[in-house]
Amino acid sequence: MKENSPFTPGNPVPVELFVGRVTQIEEILKYAKQSTHGRLENVFLVGERGIGKSSLAAFLKYMATIKENLLGVYLSLGGIIELEELIRRLIEQILTEINKERDLQDRFVSFFKDRPKYIRQVGLFGLSISFNPPKNELEYMARNFPETIKGLWDKIKDRKKGVFVVLDDINGLSRSQEFANWYKSFVDNVTIKYSGGFPITILAIGLPEVRDSLASIQPSLMRVFRIINIDKLENKEVEEFFKKAFDNAGIKVREKAMKLMVEFSSGLPILMHEIGDAVFWRDEDGVISEEDARKGILVAADRIGTKYLDPKVYRAIRSERYRSILRKLGEKPFLSFKKRDLESRLNANERKVFTNFLRKMRELGVITPDIEGGRGAYKFTNRLYPVYIWMESQRFRKKLK
Ligand SMILES: Nc1ncnc2c1ncn2[C@@H]1O[C@H](COP(=O)(O)OP(=O)(O)OP(=O)(O)O)[C@@H](O)[C@H]1O
Ligand SMILES: [Mg+2]
């Protein structure tokens, strides 16, 4: 009986199953190494929802800690919209990381010999730190942020080469003028006051619209960031992922099954985990056959539809009215299409509802005019849409049955 799937749909991937992103890793680590000579580096990682930003961040934190001897700090800022909460959590997380490393624990103790009550060791083995200073002190730390960080750094600088801070999902803060101004002045202050003595890399992470929103409220802020983009994985990376994952679980994969799983994953990390997981649970004999793969992919397609698509979009895509047009649109999972090309493949009945169809899909935010594609060109707003539509049309054509 199977007990443990190696796949982690929806959660950052464990380091041993991480694949791809080689150029981005090299580039970001290059900046992190450069920062160990004493300069603040600011990197902005941009990518669509679910494309693998947090997984890359977790992998980089691991590399920075193990290979580069930096203090790695990861902070998920999901629902945070207040600057002071960001600062409180950041300091709390830095303290927790210092406390976690056996090498640094003595520093921690001496650092806080007569520590105030608002810093406490919590958690199972007292490994986590809770940091809840009074409001006025937090305000002071926010105002003097470079000094605060420098103070922490000076305590550990003979044991570490620098600090690598991940600020994941800064979505909520990206519309805050206060945050944008504060960050810009933090960078300026560090450059002026501590040139050569601030070996810290900050990796901020957000969706493409987050970058745009920050750029519009504080145009000079985006100039301090080095921008790194991530997109789909390559097919050979997806294959490497399936090999590693099934190998880890002691399961063999037949060649045709592998081809199907790679093809249907379409380079999207979310899909490869959903497909892998469904196929893993479907298999009964420790060998993934073509049949296992097909059946698993169908289960995964259903999960994608219900888990990741907006319910209104899901219903529209599955509605009787538009289904046959969608099947024609979904012959291949193209990210964009021309109205004219699609129309030429429709029958008389389909043509009657075609204008409505386009309007509805635009209203729902599934497609948007593709300016680069010229007149009458549309593109999907999310890569999952064309892939899902394609999966559904393959199901219809019985390629998956
Ligand atoms: N390089 C990778 N190798 C293997 N699996 C990956 C990789 N990148 C992402 N994944 C998997 O893809 C899914 C989405 O990844 P992740 O959560 O890192 O994306 P994200 O861009 O941070 O998403 P969100 O926008 O929702 O925060 C997860 O199931 C994760 O395990
Ligand atoms: Mg994420």
Side-chain angles (χ1 to χ4, degrees), residues 87-101:
I87 288 167
R88 189 191 71 73
R89 296 260 296 263
L90 181 55
I91 296 173
E92 185 171 82
Q93 211 48 45
I94 294 176
L95 296 175
T96 295
E97 292 293 343
I98 292 177
N99 184 48
K100 249 200 255 168
E101 283 199 32

Side-chain angles (χ1 to χ4, degrees), residues 83-85 87-88 91 118 131 133-151 178 182 185-186 189 193-194:
L83 178 58
E84 270 154 31
E85 180 59 5
I87 288 167
R88 189 191 71 73
I91 296 173
Y118 57 76
F131 177 69
K135 196 164 169 40
N136 58 348
E137 270 190 57
L138 200 54
E139 276 166 13
Y140 178 83
M141 286 177 192
R143 251 183 289 123
N144 300 283
F145 195 59
E147 289 76 8
T148 308
I149 296 295
K150 177 81 170 136
E178 190 193 9
W182 170 80
S185 85
F186 161 63
N189 273 322
K193 290 190 194 151
Y194 299 115

Side-chain angles (χ1 to χ4, degrees), residues 10 12 48-55 57 74 76 168-169 205 207:
E48 276 183 25
R49 213 173 276 290
I51 203 72
K53 302 179 292 300
S54 301
S55 297
Y74 173 87
S76 167
D168 198 357
D169 285 331
I205 302 184
L207 302 166

Side-chain angles (χ1 to χ4, degrees), residues 8-13 18-19 49-55 269 272-273:
T8 52
N11 293 313
V13 69
F18 184 90
V19 294
R49 213 173 276 290
I51 203 72
K53 302 179 292 300
S54 301
S55 297
M272 86 193 175
H273 281 261

